[in-house]
Amino acid sequence: MKNIRTVWIALLALLPFLGWTQNVNLIPQPVSLEVKPGHFLIDKNTALVFPQGNKELQPAVNFFTTAINTVSGIQLPVNAKRGKTIQLILAKTAEIGPEGYLLNVTPSATT
């Protein structure tokens, strides 16, 4: 009986390491990460939004929409009104440095 209890205690101690935790794969890897409940799913109700006058973002927009279409068949409308959005913004933010990024993901938007 003692051996069974020891096995259960060991299994319970290993639960966090058995793949039941959420992995987040981002490149480049963030300096800090806070995982919250929920997810964002790209579907036909998703649009890609960016400031239209920003020519620096246009290559990223083209790359992203093409990649999503290639892997999913979904053609993301650009700067259209949809229920969910992926928003790309270039902004200087002192606390993260010149090559840093901020990423906020909720069930209805990714910014």
Side-chain angles (χ1 to χ4, degrees), residues 5-23:
R5 186 171 24 160
T6 303
V7 170
W8 276 109
I9 291 171
L11 285 174
L12 289 173
L14 290 174
L15 281 179
F17 305 103
L18 293 177
W20 293 2
T21 59
Q22 183 176 5
N23 274 340

Side-chain angles (χ1 to χ4, degrees), residues 39-40 83-86 106-110:
H39 64 277
F40 182 86
K84 298 187 292 183
T85 60
I86 299 168
T106 68
S108 62
T110 298

Side-chain angles (χ1 to χ4, degrees), residues 81-104:
K81 295 219 182 236
R82 291 289 193 267
K84 298 187 292 183
T85 60
I86 299 168
Q87 186 175 19
L88 300 180
I89 302 169
L90 282 179
K92 292 182 181 180
T93 307
E95 68 265 10
I96 62 170
E99 293 188 17
Y101 66 93
L102 299 173
L103 179 64
N104 184 29

